[in-house]
Amino acid sequence: MHEDQPAEPAPQATRPAREDAPRQDGPRHEGQRQDGQRHDGQRQDRPRHDRPRGRGRPPGDRPKRREISGWVILDKGVGMTSTHAVAAVKRALNAKKAGHAGTLDPLASGILPIALGEATKTVPFVMDGRKAYVFSVTWGVETDTDDAEGRPVATSDDRPTQEQVEAMLPRFVGAIEQVPPRYSAIKIQGERAYDLARDGEVVELVARPVQIDRLAIVAHTPERTVIEAECGKGTYVRAIARDLGRALGCYGHVSALRRTRVGPFTEDQSCTVSALEAADAEANAAILRPVETALIEAVPHVPVSRDMAMRLMRGQPVILRGRDAPTEGKAYATCGGVLVAVGDVERGELVPHRVFHLGGTAPRTA
């Protein structure tokens, strides 16, 4: 299972330079693994002219896409790709623009925040946030993908006790070095690691620092342990399972994975694709969360006057006054409850890096 694609620069690995051009990533289709391969091992790629162009509806009958901005917190089911999930939400709300904050593989379920319209400008703040997972480790087998989709590469008849697993968990908590899975979205000289691994090349990824705040056992049997994890960006749950199995001397792989939190977004805020498809676009718009929800936990908030808002919208800095105004670092500004800009505070001035054109396209915070 391929969890979040890391936002930070990818670790480098030493390998001979290829003469062919790097492979370009394209959209993934339902039933296709994140590495571009179907579960039956066959490639799904088709020429562009062979791809379906909608549902046979004449162009004039298609609903007009709307300018709509906000966050949909989707509870993605097992078997759906992140790309398919974004397309389903976009279609259900007739939205013009959509994107997601952190890939969730088809075999994983849980929270997939989907940004619509102007909310896409705040995606990096969500991806930088903390994440929480519940995952199952099946003992006795290590696979080449570190999950249930892969082929076995090492086996053992040994099985750990709950006490042995608990005693090992502290080794993987805190600021640690983690080697990403071979089948991951890490780029090596411009190519995805999973593409190289699928082509039979030996992929040697270097360890990189990650932050794991918490690991706790939820349930345990001789064959399987269910674990809760809270971690920072770029952490691979599959690598935790792999390394735990090696440390315990019994091997292991992730057999189930659910993401329960991404940044400020949690399960109790979520909805399903089936619920969205059963309602009309107007009803679905009511479930939108404001664009600035992505910023509330990440950066300070400063209210500004209308004149200051106009300056920010033109890309001009404004002087922040008041004892509560931030003096350095990032901040976001609102005017009358509407998000205006996000930027850096430098020497008492807010320098906008992103401005927002919301008007009536998004819900407001209370």
Side-chain angles (χ1 to χ4, degrees):
M1 296 166 196
H2 311 293
E3 300 90 40
D4 293 320
Q5 295 184 16
E8 67 269 32
Q12 298 297 312
T14 302
R15 59 179 292 272
R18 293 170 64 97
E19 295 180 355
D20 52 326
R23 186 178 292 102
Q24 297 297 316
D25 295 325
R28 296 187 291 275
H29 306 281
E30 183 63 5
Q32 186 180 9
R33 284 171 43 151
Q34 181 170 325
D35 57 13
Q37 189 174 16
R38 293 180 61 89
H39 298 299
D40 59 7
Q42 300 299 313
R43 293 288 295 176
Q44 179 71 9
D45 299 336
R46 291 186 291 174
R48 184 175 297 275
H49 60 78
D50 286 340
R51 295 175 187 169
R53 297 178 178 272
R55 301 176 180 270
R57 177 187 296 151
D61 293 341
R62 293 173 186 164
K64 184 178 179 181
R65 296 295 185 186
R66 301 187 302 162
E67 293 284 357
I68 185 171
S69 296
W71 284 93
V72 173
I73 316 308
L74 189 71
D75 187 342
K76 189 191 80 66
V78 173
M80 176 179 286
T81 67
S82 296
T83 301
H84 183 196
V86 171
V89 171
K90 187 176 178 181
R91 181 173 60 250
L93 277 77
N94 287 333
K96 282 190 175 181
K97 185 177 181 181
H100 63 73
T103 299
L104 204 56
D105 192 73
L107 286 189
S109 67
I111 301 304
L112 181 66
I114 296 180
L116 302 178
E118 293 288 279
T120 56
K121 298 176 181 179
T122 64
V123 163
F125 293 93
V126 177
M127 294 189 68
D128 286 348
R130 315 305 295 171
K131 299 171 181 67
Y133 299 89
V134 177
F135 63 101
S136 297
V137 184
T138 294
W139 304 112
V141 179
E142 181 176 316
T143 70
D144 58 353
T145 60
D146 300 322
D147 64 19
E149 285 191 300
R151 61 179 182 84
V153 294
T155 61
S156 172
D157 292 330
D158 294 336
R159 298 293 184 269
T161 65
Q162 180 169 339
E163 291 72 24
Q164 288 174 322
V165 178
E166 286 180 336
M168 192 60 66
L169 291 181
R171 183 184 299 186
F172 298 93
V173 175
I176 67 169
E177 294 285 317
Q178 184 186 74
V179 177
R182 291 174 56 222
Y183 284 81
S184 64
I186 302 296
K187 280 192 174 182
I188 302 174
Q189 296 184 4
E191 297 190 69
R192 299 291 186 185
Y194 52 65
D195 282 329
L196 300 175
R198 188 182 62 244
D199 290 343
E201 296 196 32
V202 177
V203 178
E204 297 293 341
L205 294 169
V206 299
R208 59 181 185 164
V210 297
Q211 178 69 34
I212 300 176
D213 296 319
R214 178 175 172 267
L215 292 173
I217 294 177
V218 176
H220 176 84
T221 67
E223 298 297 324
R224 186 176 296 104
T225 303
V226 181
I227 299 173
E228 288 181 337
E230 295 177 8
C231 54
K233 67 177 182 180
T235 302
Y236 280 88
V237 172
R238 287 177 292 139
I240 298 175
R242 176 200 65 205
D243 295 342
L244 263 176
R246 291 177 180 178
L248 290 164
C250 63
Y251 302 116
H253 66 272
V254 169
S255 52
L257 174 65
R258 179 171 178 79
R259 189 161 64 189
T260 58
R261 177 176 178 173
V262 180
F265 303 124
T266 56
E267 290 178 294
D268 60 351
Q269 304 166 341
S270 66
C271 61
T272 63
V273 167
S274 59
L276 290 173
E277 291 177 340
D280 60 32
E282 292 298 330
N284 284 335
I287 62 96
L288 278 179
R289 294 190 170 270
V291 175
E292 59 268 30
T293 308
L295 305 171
I296 291 173
E297 292 186 2
V299 293
H301 164 235
V302 290
V304 296
S305 66
R306 181 175 177 81
D307 288 342
M308 295 170 70
M310 295 300 293
R311 287 183 58 85
L312 290 170
M313 294 288 288
R314 292 193 294 267
Q316 300 171 337
V318 297
I319 298 175
L320 300 180
R321 305 187 185 280
R323 62 181 183 180
D324 295 330
T327 57
E328 297 291 337
K330 293 189 179 298
Y332 72 95
T334 62
C335 178
V338 177
L339 179 62
V340 175
V342 61
D344 288 325
V345 180
E346 302 172 359
R347 296 184 296 276
E349 284 189 331
L350 176 59
V351 181
H353 291 167
R354 286 281 194 175
V355 298
F356 298 85
H357 306 277
L358 292 174
T361 68
R364 300 184 184 185
T365 52

